[in-house]
Amino acid sequence: MAKPGTKEYLNYSIIKDDKTIGNIRVERSLKDDITEYIFESRAKVKILYSIEIYDKMGVTFKQNVLQQAKLYRTMNGKLKVNNTAIWNGSFYNLSDKDGANGFLKQSIFCSTASLYFNEPGNVKSVFSEKFQKMIPVHKIDSKKYRIDLPNGNSTTYTYSSGICTLVEANTDFANLKFVLTTKPN
């Protein structure tokens, strides 16, 4: 575990068909009882035409309970996702790019952003910042876990020493791999 007040970074290459098409940087900072994750990715993929995707996710936990989760995504510069979940002490207020989007009435201890630094172990479900709901985690073997997304896609996470070293994402437009290029400092 990192010392409070420190920041750790994980950097990943995004690979499609053995070519690097982008990168991801995940930062974890710890201060007092607050843990914050900032996830930023840029990828450019060419299918029939070029698609440039930018993601930024900011997730804050206090005493291991999710306080706030934000996901912002653009595709070719156009806003696609602008999701927020904010804990008000008894439930989460959810909103998306069109405004209020309901509530979630349970405490959240793990989200997809925290999966990069934390092997889920016995965690049964994680909060998806994109889908704004809890998604079951399936343990495949001792170091590998899969989440099946509501849109039919799936993501597999592989760990070494508790840190995610490989993410295999089956998306609508491509099968991608996120390969860890640097270990935490």
Side-chain angles (χ1 to χ4, degrees):
M1 195 68 182
K3 292 188 198 87
T6 60
K7 287 188 178 181
E8 297 174 282
Y9 303 94
L10 297 173
N11 292 297
Y12 297 83
S13 291
I14 303 174
I15 295 167
K16 175 187 181 284
D17 301 330
D18 298 325
K19 287 192 194 82
T20 299
I21 60 159
N23 62 323
I24 298 172
R25 177 179 167 104
V26 188
E27 172 190 310
R28 174 172 68 177
S29 59
L30 298 130
K31 189 168 189 252
D32 304 322
D33 56 357
I34 309 272
T35 305
E36 186 172 22
Y37 298 93
I38 295 170
F39 172 106
E40 198 165 14
S41 73
R42 288 176 199 279
K44 194 171 191 170
V45 65
K46 196 165 168 60
I47 303 163
L48 295 171
Y49 55 94
S50 195
I51 301 173
E52 213 166 310
I53 300 166
Y54 170 77
D55 270 15
K56 184 156 191 182
M57 191 159 41
V59 179
T60 306
F61 287 84
K62 183 175 183 180
Q63 293 169 335
N64 298 321
V65 175
L66 180 72
Q67 300 299 300
Q68 181 174 290
K70 291 184 175 185
L71 172 62
Y72 173 85
R73 173 176 296 156
T74 59
M75 199 176 284
N76 291 345
K78 290 192 178 83
L79 180 67
K80 288 294 182 188
V81 178
N82 194 3
N83 290 349
T84 306
I86 298 173
W87 177 248
N88 69 7
S90 21
F91 57 86
Y92 294 92
N93 283 304
L94 306 175
S95 63
D96 61 21
K97 65 182 171 60
D98 301 318
N101 191 28
F103 309 97
L104 190 61
K105 294 182 166 75
Q106 68 181 95
S107 297
I108 297 170
F109 303 103
C110 189
S111 80
T112 60
S114 56
L115 286 177
Y116 289 83
F117 279 97
N118 304 290
E119 185 173 342
N122 295 322
V123 170
K124 297 284 181 252
S125 61
V126 296
F127 178 71
S128 166
E129 293 84 354
K130 181 179 177 203
F131 294 102
Q132 296 191 303
K133 57 171 63 169
M134 297 305 289
I135 298 185
V137 176
H138 305 283
K139 189 171 185 167
I140 295 168
D141 62 36
S142 64
K143 298 285 173 202
K144 202 169 190 177
Y145 304 81
R146 188 185 76 239
I147 56 176
D148 295 320
L149 304 173
N151 63 1
N153 297 338
S154 69
T155 308
T156 305
Y157 298 82
T158 304
Y159 292 83
S160 174
S161 306
I163 296 289
C164 184
T165 55
L166 175 66
V167 177
E168 294 161 286
N170 299 320
T171 73
D172 293 334
F173 57 87
N175 290 339
L176 303 176
K177 288 183 179 179
F178 310 158
V179 180
L180 184 66
T181 55
T182 56
K183 295 269 193 259
N185 47 351

